[in-house]
Amino acid sequence: GEPGQEEDEANDDPGGERIGARRQFLVEPERDRCHPDRHEDQPYAAGWRLWRNDGDFQFANVTHEAGLDNLGFAWGTVFEDMNLKKKIFAELDRVMKPGGILATNTSTLDINVIAAATKRPQDVVGLHFFSPANVMRLLEIVRTDTTGNDVVATAFALAKKLKKVGVLSRVCFGFIGNRMMDPYGREAERLVLEGATPAQVDGALERFGMAMGMLAVYDMAGVDVGVKARRANPDRQPKGDPTFYRASQVLFEHDWLG
C-alpha cells in the first residue's frame, strides 16, 4: 500500500488486532552526521523514514499536519535528552490517533517520566535496540509502570517480525544490557588511563571471546552517545572521581566522536 494506507494481517500476528491493524511505523532518526544542517531539536523534519508492511525503508516528508495523525506506531530515537524526549512525545501524543503506540529507544532515561509527558501513558513503551541494530539481535522491551498488556504484546510481535530476540525489562538505569555494560566500559577506559592502548584492551577482550572490544563498541556507536547519557543521569556519576569515563570525556571535548 501507499504511505498513509494500513494493511490488516492480524491473523498472522501473536500481537493480534493491535499490530495487525497498525502496520505503519514512523522512525525518527538520530543526528545525521552526513547532514549537519538538520537541527537536532526539531521534532518534525523532512526525511523521516516510513517503514511499511513490505519491510522497505522509504523516505517521505512527514509533519504533524500531514501523515502523523494516521500513524499507529511512532518510534523516537533522539539522543539522551529528557526535555527533548518529553517535548517530542507530548507533540506525538497530541497529533497521533487514539490508540497509537509511542516507543522510545532510550538506553538510560526513565521511561515513566517520558510516559507522564503524554495523555496516553498506557501506550508508551521502550524499544531499545543495540548497535549495530542491523546485526545485533537483542531488543529490550521496557515496560513502564503503566504500559498496557496489549502494547507489550505488540512490541514482542514486532520483535518477531524484525527477527529480534525480545527481552522484557522494567524501568531502571541502563535496563539490562547497559546496566551490565556500564562498569565493564568504565574499567576498560581506566586501563587506557593506566597506560594500555585501546588495541591492547580490545585485543584482550576479543581473545577472551568477546565479539568486539568495548572501546571499539564506543567508537562505532559514537562516543557522544555515552557522554550525553551520563550527563542526563548526573546522579549515577561518582563524586570526586576524575577517572570516571575520562577518556570518553576528552574525546568528546575534542569532537572526536568515532
Side-chain angles (χ1 to χ4, degrees):
E2 294 301 317
Q5 295 180 346
E6 295 177 344
E7 298 177 4
D8 193 349
E9 296 183 2
N11 294 333
D12 297 331
D13 289 311
E17 180 179 286
R18 187 109 182 191
I19 194 169
R22 295 170 174 81
R23 280 301 198 162
Q24 195 178 53
F25 301 89
L26 171 70
V27 178
E28 180 254 319
E30 298 218 28
R31 173 170 57 89
D32 188 340
R33 291 174 180 166
C34 297
H35 300 87
D37 57 327
R38 182 176 298 160
H39 298 296
E40 294 177 328
D41 59 351
Q42 289 183 347
Y44 306 114
W48 278 13
R49 295 172 289 178
L50 284 177
W51 181 36
R52 299 209 324 264
N53 205 26
D54 54 14
D56 291 335
F57 282 92
Q58 300 206 2
F59 286 83
N61 294 332
V62 180
T63 71
H64 65 284
E65 297 297 336
L68 290 180
D69 57 343
N70 197 41
L71 287 173
F73 195 109
W75 182 50
T77 64
V78 294
F79 57 88
E80 301 289 71
D81 182 303
M82 179 61 83
N83 289 332
L84 179 57
K85 287 183 183 289
K86 288 167 62 178
K87 175 183 176 182
I88 290 173
F89 272 67
E91 184 67 3
L92 286 171
D93 175 43
R94 184 182 70 81
V95 299
M96 284 178 62
K97 62 184 178 183
I101 297 173
L102 306 179
T104 174
N105 191 50
T106 182
S107 58
T108 60
L109 296 180
D110 188 338
I111 304 178
N112 285 314
V113 176
I114 297 173
T118 76
K119 295 179 180 178
R120 60 177 89 187
Q122 72 280 359
D123 292 329
V124 177
V125 66
L127 290 179
H128 179 231
F129 291 77
F130 288 81
S131 60
N134 62 319
V135 175
M136 302 298 288
R137 295 190 65 204
L138 178 63
L139 172 58
E140 290 179 332
I141 297 170
V142 186
R143 180 176 199 152
T144 72
D145 294 342
T146 53
T147 304
N149 289 336
D150 60 337
V151 175
V152 174
T154 299
F156 272 98
L158 174 60
K160 184 177 180 180
K161 287 291 183 184
L162 295 174
K163 295 181 171 58
K164 301 294 184 182
V165 178
V167 177
L168 186 64
S169 173
R170 295 306 295 260
V171 176
C172 62
F173 178 77
F175 310 130
I176 300 171
N178 281 326
R179 193 177 184 88
M180 294 187 293
M181 194 172 72
D182 184 59
Y184 168 33
R186 178 193 67 212
E187 295 307 313
E189 290 206 5
R190 279 181 174 152
L191 288 173
V192 174
L193 295 183
E194 293 171 3
T197 66
Q200 288 174 326
V201 174
D202 282 354
L205 295 170
E206 290 167 12
R207 287 191 297 273
F208 178 72
M210 300 292 186
M212 181 183 289
M214 191 68 249
L215 302 179
V217 170
Y218 289 158
D219 184 64
M220 177 186 64
V223 173
D224 54 323
V225 175
V227 172
K228 289 175 179 177
R230 287 186 287 277
R231 286 183 173 181
N233 296 275
D235 58 312
R236 303 293 307 183
Q237 300 191 40
K239 305 299 182 184
D241 183 0
T243 70
F244 186 72
Y245 280 104
R246 179 59 183 160
S248 284
Q249 185 61 39
V250 171
L251 291 171
F252 179 80
E253 290 169 355
H254 286 79
D255 203 31
W256 299 333
L257 307 181

